[in-house]
Amino acid sequence: MSNFSTHETAWCPGCGNFQILDSLKKALEELGKDPYEVLMVAGIGQAAKLPQYISANSFCGLHGRSLPAAVAAKMANEKLTVIVNTGDGDSYGEGGNHFIHNIRRNVNITHFIHDNQIYGLTKGQASPTSMEGMVTDVQVNGNANSPLNPVLLAIACGAGFVARSFSGRKEHLISVMKQAIEYKGYAMIDILQPCVSFNKLNTFAYYNQRVYELEADYDSSNKLSAMEKAMEFGDKIPIGVLYREDKADFHQKNPVLKAGVPLIDIDKSPDMLKNIIKDFY
Amino acid sequence: MSNFSTHETAWCPGCGNFQILDSLKKALEELGKDPYEVLMVAGIGQAAKLPQYISANSFCGLHGRSLPAAVAAKMANEKLTVIVNTGDGDSYGEGGNHFIHNIRRNVNITHFIHDNQIYGLTKGQASPTSMEGMVTDVQVNGNANSPLNPVLLAIACGAGFVARSFSGRKEHLISVMKQAIEYKGYAMIDILQPCVSFNKLNTFAYYNQRVYELEADYDSSNKLSAMEKAMEFGDKIPIGVLYREDKADFHQKNPVLKAGVPLIDIDKSPDMLKNIIKDFY
Amino acid sequence: MAAVLQKFLKDSGLYVFTTRDFMSRVRGGHNFTLIRFGPEPVLSHSDIMDGIIAFDEDSLVLHSEKLKKDGFLLCDSQYKTEDDRAISLDMLSLAKQIGNARTIGSIATGVILKLFNLQLLNLEDTLRKHIKEQYLEENKKAILTGYNLVENRYTLPAHEAKSQIILSGNQALAFGAIAGGIRFYSAYPMSPSTTILEYLSSKSVDANIVVEQAEDEIAAINMAIGASFAGAPAMTGTSGGGFCLKVEALGLSGMAEIPLVVANIQRPGPATGLPTRTEQSDLKFVISASQGEFPRMVIALRNHSDAFYQTARAFYMAKKYQIPVIILSDQYLADSYASIEPYDMEKVKYIQDIHSKVEYNPLDGEYLRYKITEDGISPLLIPGKTKNFVTADSDEHTERGWITESADVRNQMMDKRFRKLIKLKEELQEPEYIGEDSFETLFLGWGSTYGPISEAVKCLNQESPGTYAALLFGDIYPLPEKLLKEKVSQAKQIINIEQNATGQLAELIREKTSIVCDDSLLKYDGRQISVDEIVSYIRKGVRP
Amino acid sequence: MAAVLQKFLKDSGLYVFTTRDFMSRVRGGHNFTLIRFGPEPVLSHSDIMDGIIAFDEDSLVLHSEKLKKDGFLLCDSQYKTEDDRAISLDMLSLAKQIGNARTIGSIATGVILKLFNLQLLNLEDTLRKHIKEQYLEENKKAILTGYNLVENRYTLPAHEAKSQIILSGNQALAFGAIAGGIRFYSAYPMSPSTTILEYLSSKSVDANIVVEQAEDEIAAINMAIGASFAGAPAMTGTSGGGFCLKVEALGLSGMAEIPLVVANIQRPGPATGLPTRTEQSDLKFVISASQGEFPRMVIALRNHSDAFYQTARAFYMAKKYQIPVIILSDQYLADSYASIEPYDMEKVKYIQDIHSKVEYNPLDGEYLRYKITEDGISPLLIPGKTKNFVTADSDEHTERGWITESADVRNQMMDKRFRKLIKLKEELQEPEYIGEDSFETLFLGWGSTYGPISEAVKCLNQESPGTYAALLFGDIYPLPEKLLKEKVSQAKQIINIEQNATGQLAELIREKTSIVCDDSLLKYDGRQISVDEIVSYIRKGVRP
Ligand SMILES: Cc1ncc(C[n+]2csc(CCOP(=O)(O)OP(=O)(O)O)c2C)c(N)n1
Ligand SMILES: Cc1ncc(C[n+]2csc(CCOP(=O)(O)OP(=O)(O)O)c2C)c(N)n1
Ligand code: SF4
Ligand code: SF4
Ligand SMILES: [Mg+2]
Ligand SMILES: [Mg+2]
């Protein structure tokens, strides 16, 4: 049994979340992570229940607010492997502002968005990624908003690791997850995830027919062509690492953290207070 | 004297906001707008004081929250010409989530962002568009975040009218403002605006040397090349309408509004309540 | 199946009250529905059951303790039970024969109806209302199958409630908003408020409402304020967590004097808490939410009748006083269904008045949006509808609505805004008094505990006539004090009964009147207090 | 120039208190600084002035009413005035001669120092502290020029305050946070809290603090909670409008029992209000902010000494009880500078204890993050620092920290969390009592009105000895009741003096104790009440 296993889940049978959970456990094991150094962070939603189903430290905060908590935990203790799992509504709707700005902050965490293109836990309203025209109990005349393209958005905001995958392609997902976790900086994977209970448009079959892996010669370092690829989301949906760029992360730029000692372990000078008070004389 | 004139301002002498205010009055006059049908909306900040200096209806709401109020006012009464003037901190920082989602909502309003790349009213902290490395009283070691590219972000979110201009180029600004106001849907102009008090990097001269008008043969309908142009922000900064696409706006898609009668003017059927209660028997 | 069953019951002339108990998950978990019905109006659920319909093994066991000695336990014969109250029937195989295992619910419905000797009135219509066309035939068959499967067991006295309506608390609230003139509703989904969003969406075309799902709760309330400023009566709804995000804009509504209705459908906190359960723990929060000070009104909904009338009235009060009005409901009321007297549309007609009055043209001379007036109410125009400029500013402002830093103007504006409360307090509705002229123990309650507490008073007084009474608050802030003081002066003992841990009503009452409760009955486990629990606390001192 | 002047004054052994009055704009508008100094400790500003230094025509006129008959009015000779108190000097042209018109401030500083016969102690050092190297020489010249321009006029008695420190309320708060062990601070700029962010940024390297400007206030508080969860003592600061946005996460801190310090530097509301002015109107708001119910503590800062010690203590209390602790300050305290006794670092040493204690390993067996304990405090470990999993959940949860819907567990957890208050209440600090053993009138106040009220008591008692006293609250929620009840039982009259419109302290006191104030002195025009205003209200019944 996996190091990362735990109790029963409350997801619907057939839900794509199961594959994501399995893949994540696999990825963590293959990377040889110690569960006690892993911190799973989530907001609120179906996807956000994932930390409850994996043996690791966990922080299940507020709906939409997982990223600020996650990056700050990493700032406090860089030895933690910080992984955020949460929904499309949580990440791009309620949490949209944190999404765009944490890309700019570039803290070394990993963000897995279970993108079922619907609000699952609240029983099926349109999410930011829902297709235009989708009918729900709230969008009775069809969703009027054009869907957000999260990977395009991430690239446009300057993210250094932007990927898409699909819960139904476990091998692919595990491989991309591992790359994302190992990437030094903010890494996001938008994971297509069928919601069998509420999303009758974007089903397993829907995704399965459309997804294809990026060509072997795909150049993930070219931002413009990455954006072009990112816009491909229709009859064909590319999966894989769309854009990747290595750059200094938050810790490397922060004067307190750049020495590499976790914040909570830095010894404070015993004379610190006495030195500071001198300013006020 | 202009129809839209009013009392004294509280801006610093030399501030770029004066040109923006002048240009806006000019644009409104040239479009022949009736001041009583114009609604100026703002958040809080230096830029956001603009509605106080123009004769029109005005709504100065909360910091970061101008867009939701503006689009809803338009939903309530489409006869209003709704114009938002507010800062980069307000629009992209505190209000970032409303920015990305109101692009998707595509309500027919105009959004002028006075982008001085700084928080002016609160006396000079880094804003989302501040350059990396900028030193302020808060960013004492230099701003560590990479700046947001608002025009690129807007295009990536699917905005139909995305432009950049500069307060120092009044003719250009007036012309782009007029196009934006006339565009049917959400239109944004990121207006470069020197802040003489706090931004010593991005001065009038800085912008003036760098900006150039888009070539006459520039094709603003190609999203990919628009994104490429949008990324140009360094020694040369293109100004003009970077991207433009005509598409259905919110009102055209909304079942209650599509008939073209302002919401507040629709007559409710006198039997409406009696008809609805039947459902409950 | 609950929807169909309750409709049959109502159509047979019975009063019905249905509550749902579900877990915060989409499938699985232990969920159940309680239906209480009878020839007399039913105001709440009860813990003591006459019958159980169990569709799984858990339900057989989990609730049997609460089943009356002579109750029945209807279940499929696949489940083994020793309980001699069980009625085991081959429902599942019959459903399969009909062609769809899921019709087992309709079979059970048929069984129940027959047990109580009720007729299958409007069979087709009822089914059509709740069941998709394609499943209609098979469910009809199933009901008839069930109906023919058993013999009649119980006889109910004659009853006359056929002309009642049946609806949930949130439907009643949403319908009340329509009666109140709503034209704009914006919200972000959040249990247990989402059904308001759903209901208003479904009526948006019929009732000419723009209904918009916002990107977050902050957007939702700022949208509502923008729409209201532009002349569309507006509401935003949420639960406590979402209300938190609306707190800043609540102050904007207060400062800029923009009419606004905010519905907070409470659930147990703090934070995410127990998302699908019930509590009344946001009273003090909403009373003082937002920085600074400004007049507001808070109305607690007590039942399905209030939900309609008071929501409609909230629009009236918001517009009349140009203030935010907060409606406090909770999951118990929101999700429960009750059969009640049809609403009287004449009673809400006065609301139209205030909407039309708003558009009057100001007196000659300059238009002063924030004119200092004696009653504190300034002329409210709609931008674009007049040759005056309409302004709103979240900063302190002059009569014209321009930003100011003058100490004098500040004082005048603060005083003007607060003066609105004088008139408002005069039209507050006193709490509902339940009981006889004389009594000894006075219960104090608010909101949805109305049902359990008022039933408890009746029940307790049957044994000890003239001993118990209750004051149940609907209008709760500003606190109506008149009747309270009157009844308190008569009481030997005061007990506040609340669905929270700190006794928030009692605290509010003490703050405003110095009245101190002698005892408290507080429940905060997420389950609504029942008449039985109140009665047994009073009789035996057992806390639930 | 105020910074330089106050430093000279302090170094001459005088006590200093400086307040700023500025408009919400970057340049222009009428802004001024009040410096009050003397040989005795100065606790607040005064409305009555001994001297005015006017740098523009407005200042000549606007304040002259408040200038003492024998006061002076220092101004440049370019401004014409009839006032015979004027000292007109050619300061501008002298400044221009020196080479920079802006050195006029330094010339005036020199003049003042000479008028009061003070020596130019540590001239260079003082200037270096506040003036950029490149302007040093010219300002030195300017001060000397001013000093030689006039004759000595006043003689101050001997004084001995040279070893005092001088700092602003926000600097004191921030320094207190450092003493409290802060390692993480996140905030979004907002007046009057921004200077905390600035100060901590400037000390981030020296004190090993990660200081992060967040994209909004919601991010700021959620970051602080995340950092605290991971073991870094954390604070977030803001003003009322930003506090609104933090309300939801405040509940998360309460629910997940994650230590957190939140500083709310109040300004007049509602909404944007008067952004650069002062008020105390968020007390009731922060006491009940967030849905649901959970223990919290609110500490009001009364002065520059409190600002340090109480902020440090807030970290201690937050960690010890695993709760959110809210610090209430206001613009008046935040932006004013005072010279006070240097802080005693020994007094804050106990705080280190609690930080180290946290990392203890749990007893044998399973680690239960939310173990039900007698005192309600459960073992807090730091994730990654132990071979136990550390959990946090915003849902109601079990002892292990997993989501639950059990009614029993819910009750146990609610009770456990609230039990923390028992011990906490035992270590509450009683309000500070100002006055003699016997008195007739008792003033009640809180926070930054400490200075004006306590000076008023002294001043009033000079005329009528033993008549006035005050209780000034620092710890304010939970409300410490002991001393209050004791003193109230002795009082003939109780008057609450507050910088708000509704008398929030009085309401809180009535809610908790049924004590009702006989009269209220409330001010809400954005300007701090002064000792003079209190005294003249008491003596003449004139409300400010
Ligand atoms: C402040 C706040 N608003 C709303 C909610 C209600 N809520 C819980 S989960 C959720 C959306 C879930 O959608 P998503 O994030 O896509 O996750 P999924 O359930 O689809 O995995 C919402 C709106 C909440 N818990 N808190
Ligand atoms: C909720 C809230 N947070 C913070 C503030 C303080 N604040 C006022 S304006 C402003 C930033 C202004 O920057 P920007 O939007 O770029 O406008 P500018 O002044 O530069 O024109 C801030 C942070 C506020 N008023 N409300
Ligand atoms: S509702 Fe959808 S997302 Fe949630 S568990 Fe069920 S299938 Fe999965
Ligand atoms: S601070 Fe900057 S943005 Fe504000 S008025 Fe002055 S120059 Fe303009
Ligand atoms: Mg989802
Ligand atoms: Mg700016």
Side-chain angles (χ1 to χ4, degrees), chain D residues 48-61:
Chain D
I48 301 156
M49 286 180 258
D50 291 294
I52 291 176
I53 310 167
F55 290 108
D56 58 22
E57 207 124 23
D58 277 0
S59 309
L60 270 182
V61 189

Side-chain angles (χ1 to χ4, degrees), chain C residues 339-356:
Chain C
S339 61
I340 56 167
E341 274 314 309
Y343 302 125
D344 179 354
M345 297 308 162
E346 296 300 314
K347 283 201 190 156
V348 292
K349 267 208 171 139
Y350 68 101
I351 294 173
Q352 299 315 313
D353 274 13
I354 191 88
H355 288 316
S356 46

Side-chain angles (χ1 to χ4, degrees), chain A residues 55-71:
Chain A
S55 287
N57 298 291
S58 68
F59 180 97
C60 294
L62 298 173
H63 180 57
R65 315 303 170 187
S66 51
L67 285 182
V71 298

Side-chain angles (χ1 to χ4, degrees), chain C residues 146-278:
Chain C
Y147 203 79
N148 295 323
L149 212 57
V150 288
E151 291 302 309
N152 159 244
R153 220 181 198 186
Y154 305 97
T155 316
L156 289 163
H159 35 261
E160 264 318 326
K162 283 183 207 180
S163 61
Q164 305 268 311
I165 53 173
I166 185 161
L167 76 186
S168 76
N170 269 356
Q171 285 172 343
L173 185 160
F175 185 32
I178 295 175
I182 191 172
R183 287 194 190 255
F184 188 89
Y185 184 76
S186 46
Y188 186 79
M190 183 163 197
S191 310
S193 71
T194 314
T195 45
I196 301 171
L197 179 59
E198 287 176 1
Y199 183 77
L200 290 173
S201 292
S202 75
K203 293 291 159 200
S204 69
V205 173
D206 293 346
N208 306 117
I209 315 165
V210 168
V211 178
E212 187 63 8
Q213 180 180 317
E215 57 272 25
D216 56 32
E217 288 86 350
I218 304 174
I221 187 167
N222 281 283
M223 289 176 90
I225 290 173
S228 175
F229 172 76
M235 177 165 85
T236 180
T238 185
S239 185
F243 192 90
C244 289
L245 296 163
K246 297 185 198 275
V247 164
E248 189 193 11
L250 194 77
L252 170 59
S253 156
M255 181 57 133
E257 304 191 48
I258 297 171
L260 179 69
V261 180
V262 185
N264 176 359
I265 317 300
Q266 299 163 99
R267 68 189 214 190
T272 310
L274 293 165
T276 58
R277 305 200 176 268
T278 202

